Amino acid sequence: MFLELDGEGAAYQQLTRAFKAAILDGSLSGGTRLPPSRALAQELGMSRITVLSAYDQLRAEGYLQSRVGSGSYVSELQLTPRSGPPKTTRIAPPSRYAERSLRHSAQTTYRAHQGLRYELQFGETLLTPPLNNAWGRELARAASYTSLERTVSRGSPALREQVSKYLISRRGVRADPDDILIVNGTQQAYALAARVLLNEGDPMVMEEPHYFAAWRAFAAHGAELQAVRTDDEGLVCAELPDVPPRLILVTPSHQFPSGPVMSLPRRLELLRYAEANRCWIMEDDYDSEFRYDSQPLSTLRSLDKGDRVIYVGTFSKVLFGSLRLGYMVLPAVLREYFTKARYLSDMGGLAVEQAALAHFMESGAFERHLHKVGKTLKRRREVMLEGMRQHAGTRVRVNDSQAGMHVVAWLPDYDYTQLDELIQCAQERGLGLYPVAPCYHRRPEVPGLILGYCGLPEAELREAMRLFGACLDTIDARRRETA
């Protein structure tokens, strides 16, 4: 008897699945007598116990029937015969959301490169062996005492307490633990905001440029998105629409990706606009912990007297990307709506991870980690900028915001065709470069790159900048040849 095992799991499980597949596709028809367990075990080179276990499972699920003194037979099942190979053609989207999700999930250059030696991927965190070891200890400790019951949908009280203390000491945000909702990362915060605050077709404002994953999340929900320009002072509030949006999403502490900090006059102007027009502001404070020329600036939430600001923070950027934990500070009138929406989304959070993070913060290890990472990132940023000045010179114009984990490098003397050539040339030399254009609703006139410096130590950043300059030299040489 030919049975194809898939190699996944225990031998009896593989044998069970192989029999099911043969029965369901008609290879073993109803009434077929199966070989005795001893004979089949010898034929397949398995133990008789393995075959008996598979037969028992198949009988329990109704695929086989036993006849006393006769053996095991395939059950007479009402199966629809397969007319051919399964269809692989895409069906029409089964819902409006499904259609929009396809339309707004086009692949970008994010994580476009694989296996390169010098990867300048933005959005990555600084990973260190001490953090890995410390987090392992925290998880082991938390697992030993954390209840295995589902957590409350707002998040564990211990973690909300620690977030509350952290926000007042680091960001000047006074938030009672009851104001805080623990979420599975910023992306879930976007999804909840869309569900709670927006109906299909409702207007919403985002910055230009913007975080493309946020744009897509709200566009897939069906929001009518409008991009409002930013400049050196952040969002240009004078260009906010006359017809007020339901929601405005901003990154005032470090505009993503261009870098400016929203000025105090602009912050106050935005708050006045929101209060006058009864719209909500979502403040995404994604990496404000890392500021290299001064202390982090006051948040919009700390200036908000009308309780119109939803403040969002994440631990993925300051610890590690696979830690899908973040938080929202909610206006009082919205707390119940967001909590219920969170419950309907996944009922509760990650109990062990939340307990581990709460203790990590309470012990002071989180604060020490931030201090060490801040010093390391400041030095890496300096190395990248020094290398860019040395090897690229005036061919690159850098927006240096003295903050965050990436820089934007503009190439005013090049066009987009040459930018593509530059990225390809770099890839051939083991250097990963990423264009900034996917962060724009309309492609900027000047091509540019968004370059992360978290993932490489200083020596490799120096070599990466040397390769960057060499690739620019190559593009310049090609340009002279065709001139």
Side-chain angles (χ1 to χ4, degrees):
M1 173 176 290
F2 176 76
L3 293 169
E4 187 173 1
L5 306 184
D6 57 23
E8 298 291 334
Y12 89 91
Q13 294 173 328
Q14 297 182 48
L15 185 57
T16 302
R17 288 195 295 270
F19 268 119
K20 287 181 182 178
I23 292 169
L24 292 173
D25 69 12
S27 300
L28 289 175
S29 57
T32 300
R33 182 176 183 272
L34 297 188
S37 58
R38 194 183 305 278
L40 184 59
Q42 185 175 0
E43 180 182 346
L44 297 178
M46 294 180 168
S47 72
R48 188 182 176 212
I49 295 298
T50 296
V51 177
L52 286 172
S53 297
Y55 279 8
D56 288 343
Q57 183 65 34
L58 291 165
R59 276 192 292 269
E61 294 187 31
Y63 287 90
L64 298 185
Q65 291 180 340
S66 295
R67 299 179 186 175
V68 177
S70 180
S72 297
Y73 291 80
V74 176
S75 300
E76 296 287 351
L77 303 174
Q78 297 297 318
L79 300 175
T80 302
R82 182 178 292 175
S83 58
K87 294 181 180 179
T88 57
T89 55
R90 179 180 291 173
I91 66 170
S95 69
R96 291 191 298 272
Y97 178 85
E99 188 277 329
R100 291 191 299 265
S101 67
L102 287 177
R103 183 156 34 97
H104 295 290
S105 62
Q107 183 65 39
T108 68
T109 55
Y110 184 66
R111 297 188 182 276
H113 307 301
Q114 298 292 330
L116 298 185
R117 173 71 182 276
Y118 304 103
E119 180 61 84
L120 299 181
Q121 172 68 66
F122 59 96
E124 295 299 300
T125 55
L126 175 63
L127 302 178
T128 64
L131 174 61
N132 193 71
N133 296 333
W135 184 246
R137 291 192 297 271
E138 292 292 355
L139 282 178
R141 179 183 179 279
S144 67
Y145 71 82
T146 302
S147 171
L148 298 182
E149 295 180 356
R150 187 171 62 240
T151 60
V152 295
S153 54
R154 285 185 297 170
S156 80
L159 182 55
R160 287 186 283 118
E161 179 71 28
Q162 291 304 315
V163 171
S164 174
K165 293 177 179 178
Y166 165 76
L167 288 174
I168 187 60
S169 65
R170 273 271 184 169
R171 305 299 290 120
V173 175
R174 295 187 179 276
D176 187 85
D178 287 340
D179 298 325
I180 295 169
L181 178 68
I182 303 299
V183 292
N184 294 333
T186 303
Q187 207 67 20
Q188 187 180 49
Y190 297 152
L192 293 176
R195 293 175 188 176
V196 172
L197 301 177
L198 301 171
N199 293 316
E200 286 181 301
D202 278 350
M204 175 183 170
V205 162
M206 290 185 65
E207 298 168 317
E208 178 74 348
H210 54 265
Y211 178 41
F212 49 80
W215 183 284
R216 290 173 181 171
F218 288 105
H221 179 77
E224 188 65 36
L225 293 171
Q226 180 175 348
V228 173
R229 184 172 60 92
T230 60
D231 60 15
D232 291 342
E233 293 186 63
L235 187 75
V236 181
C237 297
E239 298 181 11
L240 287 168
D242 294 331
V243 177
R246 293 279 294 165
L247 179 65
I248 303 171
L249 175 59
V250 289
T251 52
S253 296
H254 183 222
Q255 202 285 324
F256 185 88
S258 59
V261 174
M262 184 182 288
S263 67
L264 180 58
R266 292 275 179 90
R267 291 173 187 240
L268 297 176
E269 184 179 359
L270 178 59
L271 290 171
R272 287 194 297 269
Y273 176 92
E275 189 166 1
N277 293 286
R278 309 301 295 169
C279 53
W280 302 102
I281 299 171
M282 193 171 192
E283 178 181 11
D284 186 352
D285 204 12
Y286 66 99
D287 69 355
S288 61
E289 290 86 354
F290 304 128
R291 186 152 199 90
Y292 310 119
D293 60 345
S294 63
Q295 291 297 315
L297 302 182
S298 297
T299 64
L300 271 175
R301 175 74 188 181
S302 66
L303 299 171
D304 179 24
K305 306 302 182 185
D307 210 19
R308 308 301 301 178
V309 176
I310 303 164
Y311 180 87
V312 180
T314 179
F315 294 105
S316 301
K317 290 289 186 290
V318 296
L319 289 173
F320 49 92
S322 64
L323 181 64
R324 304 310 303 161
L325 283 176
Y327 51 89
M328 307 176 75
V329 180
L330 298 167
V333 296
L334 294 179
R335 288 190 316 206
E336 181 180 4
Y337 297 111
F338 273 86
T339 301
K340 297 299 185 185
R342 171 71 201 279
Y343 174 80
L344 293 174
S345 173
D346 60 7
M347 293 192 178
L350 306 168
V352 174
E353 287 84 348
Q354 290 188 34
L357 181 55
H359 185 263
F360 190 63
M361 299 177 76
E362 183 183 14
S363 68
F366 180 63
E367 191 69 29
R368 292 191 295 272
H369 169 77
L370 289 181
H371 180 70
K372 291 178 182 178
V373 170
K375 290 176 63 177
T376 301
L377 291 184
K378 180 179 181 180
R379 181 56 189 158
R380 290 188 183 185
R381 171 186 153 278
E382 292 169 349
V383 167
M384 173 178 273
L385 294 176
E386 289 169 3
M388 208 174 297
R389 284 191 292 267
Q390 179 181 354
H391 299 290
T394 58
R395 294 176 291 182
V396 173
R397 187 180 76 242
V398 175
N399 281 6
D400 181 14
S401 60
Q402 296 282 334
M405 299 180 287
H406 69 267
V407 297
V408 175
W410 298 100
L411 302 164
D413 298 328
Y414 301 83
D415 58 30
Y416 276 94
T417 298
Q418 291 160 346
L419 177 69
D420 292 340
E421 293 176 358
L422 174 65
I423 293 172
Q424 181 61 37
C425 177
Q427 184 174 357
E428 292 169 356
R429 300 184 186 205
L431 175 64
L433 301 179
Y434 292 84
V436 74
C439 299
Y440 283 78
H441 183 55
R442 294 181 178 83
R443 191 173 73 172
E445 294 183 5
V446 176
L449 298 166
I450 177 170
L451 306 175
Y453 47 81
C454 286
L456 296 178
E458 294 175 22
E460 293 187 7
L461 278 172
R462 292 189 181 93
E463 177 62 15
M465 291 301 96
R466 187 193 68 79
L467 290 172
F468 178 53
C471 291
L472 285 174
D473 293 340
T474 299
I475 302 305
D476 290 344
R478 292 176 186 173
R479 187 163 54 177
R480 286 192 297 269
E481 290 174 0
T482 58

